[in-house]
Amino acid sequence: MSPNSAPNRRSFLARSAAIMAVPAVATLAGGALAAPASADTLPDYAPIPPSALGPAVNAQGYFVGRVEKNLYWVTDSAYQAAFLTTRDGVVLFDAPPSIGHNLQRAIDQIAAENGVPNKVTHLVYSHHHADHIGGSSLFGTDVVRIGQVQAKQLLASENDPARPVPDVTFETKYTLNVGGERVNLAWHGTNHTPDNSYIHFPGHDTLMLVDIFLPRWVPFDSFNLNEDVPGAIAAPDTAMAYPWKHFIGGHIGRLGTRADMAVYQQYVNDIIDGVQKALGTVDPTPFFVKYGNNVWAASQQYLAAVVAYASGPVIKKYLGVLAAADVYTASTTFAILESIRLDLGFGSQVHP
Ligand SMILES: [Zn+2]
């Protein structure tokens, strides 16, 4: 497909929308982006491995495909949602605003092909974040919304009309039965957010867990902005304890396999090993000698040196294996480094 074709332009715009908040923040900070960017001077990164890319989107900017049997997934190449068709209506899992009205278009298309109802009767929230459920209000009031109890609390305080609070909540477990289909929702502790839920489709060999593991890609900036880093590091083990063949991660244009998740777990373990090695190797003395009473400058430069030491070999190992290893490995290493120091107390010393 040529770079100028409509679908590519649309999906490019959708991706741009997802990152629109970033320049505003950089401008406020008075950074380099205060001057308009020029494509000629922006840095180059390694090419994305073809295996990390999913199917092309259609003229409307979406792709819809079968996961297994009557379970389908929809993507705009940046975000993902899923839906189950049943004899009594459709159960939708997440409603990313970037896919927006294409969610119903995708459902209409599949329902027409299979002669089943196209009305969304239930909408399950993976977690409260606007980028995954900000299209919820498009489905009106005549739909049963289901989410973890903390999703309801967070959404009530965030008070965003685009994200109505769930009607049905659960604390640790909920079984959803619709039109002869069964879906198991579970909460196994905080990870990416306090409310992030495991969505298991026992009849479809599939697990949906959003913003933890993004198949064939490194995590988004700063380890997916995970609120609980140890919880997010532990989540893939919990995910692997479920029986599944297909994985829906909520991002990027492809599904995952168990082998993909094992590669991701090794990547995170390699970062942890690198951080522990770096903390025992990089000498903080010169940084504090140089910056004296400016302890922030000393800390910044010392931790940057730790990150560089720890992430360098990981970037080298995963280039060509995980997409964008050279883009975000350093910021994820910083997030994991701070968790190892602050949550685990590694390298912490009591003054004699
Ligand atoms: Zn999120």
Side-chain angles (χ1 to χ4, degrees):
M1 199 180 297
S2 97
N4 297 322
S5 70
N8 268 358
R9 168 103 185 119
R10 280 203 189 91
S11 64
F12 169 75
L13 289 173
R15 279 185 217 116
S16 307
I19 56 165
M20 253 166 23
V22 176
V25 173
T27 307
L28 275 179
L33 287 183
S38 157
D40 299 331
T41 56
L42 291 171
D44 292 314
Y45 291 103
I48 295 303
S51 66
L53 299 172
V57 297
N58 64 15
Q60 274 88 37
Y62 71 90
F63 168 86
V64 61
R66 190 192 297 271
V67 181
E68 196 167 300
K69 293 186 269 189
N70 53 337
L71 177 64
Y72 298 86
W73 67 297
V74 196
T75 183
D76 60 5
S77 295
Y79 281 87
Q80 300 173 356
F83 63 91
L84 198 54
T85 60
T86 82
R87 59 176 187 246
D88 295 339
V90 175
V91 186
L92 176 62
F93 301 86
D94 279 354
S98 69
I99 308 179
H101 289 280
N102 278 339
L103 290 166
Q104 189 64 56
R105 285 189 193 104
I107 291 166
D108 290 347
Q109 176 190 330
I110 296 297
E113 283 171 19
N114 297 286
V116 292
N118 67 345
K119 165 137 180 58
V120 175
T121 57
H122 296 75
L123 172 47
V124 174
Y125 290 170
S126 66
H127 67 301
H128 71 107
H129 277 167
D131 61 331
H132 291 278
I133 61 164
S136 174
S137 63
L138 297 177
F139 295 88
T141 52
D142 190 19
V143 56
V144 179
R145 293 177 171 82
I146 302 155
Q148 207 268 341
V149 66
Q150 292 172 89
K152 183 168 187 170
Q153 291 158 4
L154 289 160
L155 289 167
S157 70
E158 288 160 0
N159 196 26
D160 175 5
R163 289 174 290 155
V165 300
D167 311 290
V168 175
T169 61
F170 63 96
E171 286 192 15
T172 56
K173 270 186 187 153
Y174 185 80
T175 302
L176 176 64
N177 289 296
V178 179
E181 304 293 336
R182 183 161 65 95
V183 184
N184 295 324
L185 311 181
W187 181 82
H188 295 294
T190 177
N191 46 61
H192 170 63
T193 53
D195 60 331
N196 206 22
S197 300
Y198 293 70
I199 303 166
H200 188 232
F201 302 86
H204 302 81
D205 241 348
T206 299
L207 182 73
M208 179 169 180
L209 174 65
V210 170
D211 283 350
I212 289 291
F213 147 62
L214 316 178
R216 306 279 179 110
W217 285 70
V218 301
F220 177 68
D221 206 346
S222 307
F223 197 30
N224 282 335
L225 303 171
N226 289 318
E227 290 182 38
D228 181 337
V229 169
I233 290 172
D237 277 340
T238 306
M240 284 294 224
Y242 281 88
W244 54 267
K245 239 168 73 186
H246 316 288
F247 183 87
I248 302 169
H251 274 284
I252 308 296
R254 51 162 297 155
L255 301 175
T257 63
R258 296 185 81 87
D260 291 335
M261 188 173 265
V263 172
Y264 166 73
Q265 288 181 290
Q266 187 59 53
Y267 168 80
V268 173
N269 285 336
D270 288 344
I271 291 176
I272 294 169
D273 288 349
V275 165
Q276 288 176 344
K277 221 161 125 194
L279 284 172
T281 306
V282 180
D283 180 8
T285 315
F287 302 95
F288 288 88
V289 169
K290 160 83 177 167
Y291 295 108
N293 62 6
N294 190 346
V295 290
W296 276 180
S299 301
Q300 187 217 41
Q301 290 298 308
Y302 164 62
L303 293 172
V306 171
V307 165
Y309 187 101
S311 64
V314 181
I315 295 169
K316 218 168 142 192
K317 177 175 172 182
Y318 288 92
L319 268 184
V321 177
L322 293 180
D326 51 345
V327 179
Y328 279 147
T329 298
S331 75
T332 283
T333 301
F334 180 78
I336 289 176
L337 159 66
E338 288 306 288
S339 172
I340 286 174
R341 285 186 342 108
L342 306 178
D343 297 325
L344 305 186
F346 192 95
S348 176
Q349 288 165 0
V350 176
H351 193 282

